[in-house]
């Protein structure tokens, strides 16, 4: 993927995720909308940066042919991404939402499960659509 496509991939992922997060957070927290929106945007910016770095490294290690990746590799990819993101999201959620450790642990577990499934589905769909519209470039 080119630099521009990696940015597009990350931004599209985060726009869809941000919409889902905002809707879900409005149902499960009593935090004010402004705090939830700020948290969602902050986490989104962190996740976009991590997404770019993580996928760049993953593609270098496992190759550029993303369309040929199977379910096991996609699950591993999603787990690695989410585990890396938890290290930042957990303390940030505690601080912004002013909630105790256990409440945030349960919330973050829900967020991780959602995003794990979402990341696998999003990347699989993106790669499938991409492989139909963008011809594979031979590796040099």
């Amino acid at each position: 993927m080119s630099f521009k496509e990696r940015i597009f991939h990350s931004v599209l992922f985060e726009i869809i995720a941000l919409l889902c997060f905002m809707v879900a957070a409005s149902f499960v927290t009593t935090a004010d909308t402004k705090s939830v929106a700020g948290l969602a945007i902050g986490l989104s910016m962190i996740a976009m940066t991590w997404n770019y770095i993580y996928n760049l490294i993953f593609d270098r290690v496992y190759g550029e042919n993303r369309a040929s990746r199977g379910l096991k590799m996609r699950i591993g990819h999603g787990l690695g991404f989410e585990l890396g993101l938890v290290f930042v999201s957990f303390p940030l959620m505690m601080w912004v939402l002013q909630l105790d450790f256990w409440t945030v642990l349960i919330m973050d577990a829900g967020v991780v499960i959602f995003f794990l499934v979402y990341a696998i589905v999003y990347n699989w769909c993106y790669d499938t659509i991409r492989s139909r519209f963008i011809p594979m470039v031979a590796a040099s």
Side-chain angles (χ1 to χ4, degrees):
M1 265 197 252
S2 69
F3 175 77
K4 286 182 182 179
E5 187 180 358
R6 284 186 190 283
I7 298 299
F8 173 77
H9 175 268
S10 294
V11 170
L12 182 61
F13 179 93
E14 290 304 319
I15 288 171
I16 296 168
L18 191 58
L19 292 171
C20 293
F21 183 85
M22 294 285 294
V23 170
S26 68
F27 288 111
V28 298
T29 69
T30 58
D32 63 289
T33 307
K34 193 174 185 179
S35 292
V36 171
L39 176 63
I41 292 168
L43 289 173
S44 179
M45 298 303 287
I46 292 165
M48 279 197 315
T49 303
W50 174 234
N51 186 10
Y52 179 83
I53 294 165
Y54 181 77
N55 282 313
L56 185 64
I57 293 167
F58 199 89
D59 285 351
R60 286 194 179 150
V61 171
Y62 293 102
E64 291 282 330
N65 189 359
R66 297 168 55 104
S68 69
R69 295 178 183 167
L71 182 60
K72 277 185 180 179
M73 182 175 283
R74 290 183 182 281
I75 290 171
H77 175 267
L79 282 171
F81 176 82
E82 290 304 325
L83 289 174
L85 196 55
V86 162
F87 288 108
V88 176
S89 67
F90 190 84
L92 186 61
M93 287 173 71
M94 282 184 69
W95 178 62
V96 171
L97 299 174
Q98 294 294 298
L99 296 171
D100 64 280
F101 177 86
W102 295 108
T103 303
V104 174
L105 182 64
I106 292 167
M107 287 176 63
D108 207 20
V111 169
V112 166
I113 291 167
F114 166 78
F115 276 99
L116 176 60
V117 173
Y118 170 65
I120 292 166
V121 171
Y122 173 84
N123 283 302
W124 205 329
C125 291
Y126 185 90
D127 294 344
T128 301
I129 292 167
R130 180 182 187 270
S131 71
R132 291 183 187 177
F133 293 103
I134 299 176
M136 291 298 296
V137 177
S140 331

